[in-house]
Amino acid sequence: MDYSQASMSRIFILKLQTGEIVHETLEGFAEKNNIKSAVCLFLGGAEDQSKLVVGPKDGNALPVEPVTALLKGVHEGCGVGTIFCDPQGKPKLHMHGSFGRNGDAVTGCMRAGVKVWFIGEVVLFELTGSSARREKDLKTGFEILETRQDSV
């Protein structure tokens, strides 16, 4: 296990607007406010036709081929994620969410494009003092968290 220690700094409460794409909005906010790392909580609705990455096509195949799910109809949802910068210093969100409608639910990574429907509440807890960042993994294509600190 690798780890990096951080401290909590500013806390932001965001009200997202209908049609905003969650990951684009949060990354843009982080960049504008010089947030290098954070924990984010999402609560709200997802528009019809929002997309989630729900897994790899084949968990043993490289490079990874993602499988996406298209939400049919407005869904209620919640999500939790982190923001860490890539090597160029650009904030990147990794958030998983669970969305339900009429007794059916789907869970996955929100990076494929979840659009807010009416309500999109986010609480963002800024973290400081850590060297943690995202780096591109050449085998998978994922932006992987790197802590570059002590190992246990």
Side-chain angles (χ1 to χ4, degrees):
M1 173 178 73
D2 295 333
Y3 71 93
S4 176
Q5 184 171 325
S7 298
M8 187 141 4
S9 183
R10 301 176 289 176
I11 300 172
F12 296 91
I13 301 166
L14 294 87
K15 179 182 176 186
L16 280 58
Q17 303 299 315
T18 296
E20 288 186 309
I21 299 171
V22 175
H23 77 276
E24 292 175 359
T25 302
L26 295 182
E27 289 171 354
F29 180 84
E31 190 165 21
K32 180 179 176 185
N33 289 279
N34 199 31
I35 298 168
K36 303 295 182 197
S37 59
V39 173
C40 307
L41 305 174
F42 168 84
L43 183 64
E47 286 267 9
D48 179 45
Q49 305 297 303
S50 289
K51 293 179 189 176
L52 295 168
V53 175
V54 295
K57 186 173 183 179
D58 177 349
N60 296 313
L62 292 176
V64 174
E65 185 178 345
V67 175
T68 58
L70 190 66
L71 299 182
K72 294 179 180 153
V74 171
H75 282 60
E76 297 291 332
C78 59
V80 63
T82 58
I83 293 175
F84 292 100
C85 288
D86 66 13
Q88 291 73 43
K90 190 167 176 68
K92 296 291 186 172
L93 176 71
H94 183 201
M95 179 176 274
H96 286 203
S98 189
F99 295 87
R101 178 181 176 88
N102 214 21
D104 294 320
V106 62
T107 301
C109 184
M110 295 170 60
R111 186 146 199 88
V114 172
K115 290 184 184 176
V116 173
W117 173 82
F118 195 64
I119 296 171
E121 301 171 358
V122 174
V123 179
L124 188 150
F125 302 89
E126 181 182 32
L127 304 173
T128 59
S130 172
S131 62
R133 66 181 188 166
R134 298 204 190 284
E135 290 190 18
K136 186 86 163 193
D137 179 75
L138 298 178
K139 289 181 188 175
T140 62
F142 296 148
E143 292 176 328
I144 302 288
L145 179 64
E146 294 292 337
T147 58
R148 302 240 163 126
Q149 290 288 341
D150 300 325
S151 296
V152 173

